[in-house]
Amino acid sequence: LAKGLAGVPGIEIDPAGVETNILVIRIPGAAAAEFAGRLKAQGVLVLPTGADTVRAVTNLEVKAADIPRAIEAFRKARGVNAA
């Protein structure tokens, strides 16, 4: 997930710094709560943790096939067309 999100314009995350299933993702210029709402509308739940940061956590319910869908949801929530 971190590697995929790192390739989305307007999303800041360093995959090399991710050591667990918890991701802290920065969305510069976006309000975290509003961004989280746009993701929720697409079925992806994150927690706003700061003005422009959200936390995402994968668990056993998140399957490998869910990751591309989550990345696409971040792209859409950020207003980025698919690559």
Side-chain angles (χ1 to χ4, degrees), residues 20-58:
T20 68
N21 62 325
I22 300 171
L23 305 179
V24 177
I25 304 150
R26 185 164 179 261
I27 306 102
E34 182 181 313
F35 190 79
R38 290 195 301 266
L39 287 172
K40 184 176 181 179
Q42 298 181 71
V44 176
L45 303 178
V46 298
L47 178 67
T49 56
D52 66 351
T53 58
V54 296
R55 184 181 82 167
V57 180
T58 58

Side-chain angles (χ1 to χ4, degrees), residues 1-16 18 20-28 35 39 42 44-47 53-58 62 66-81 83:
L1 180 58
K3 289 177 184 176
L5 291 176
V8 177
I11 301 289
E12 292 183 4
I13 185 166
D14 178 11
V18 175
T20 68
N21 62 325
I22 300 171
L23 305 179
V24 177
I25 304 150
R26 185 164 179 261
I27 306 102
F35 190 79
L39 287 172
Q42 298 181 71
V44 176
L45 303 178
V46 298
L47 178 67
T53 58
V54 296
R55 184 181 82 167
V57 180
T58 58
V62 177
D66 296 327
I67 300 301
R69 189 178 68 78
I71 294 167
E72 183 58 24
F74 270 83
R75 294 180 76 80
K76 288 180 181 177
R78 198 60 174 133
V80 177
N81 293 326

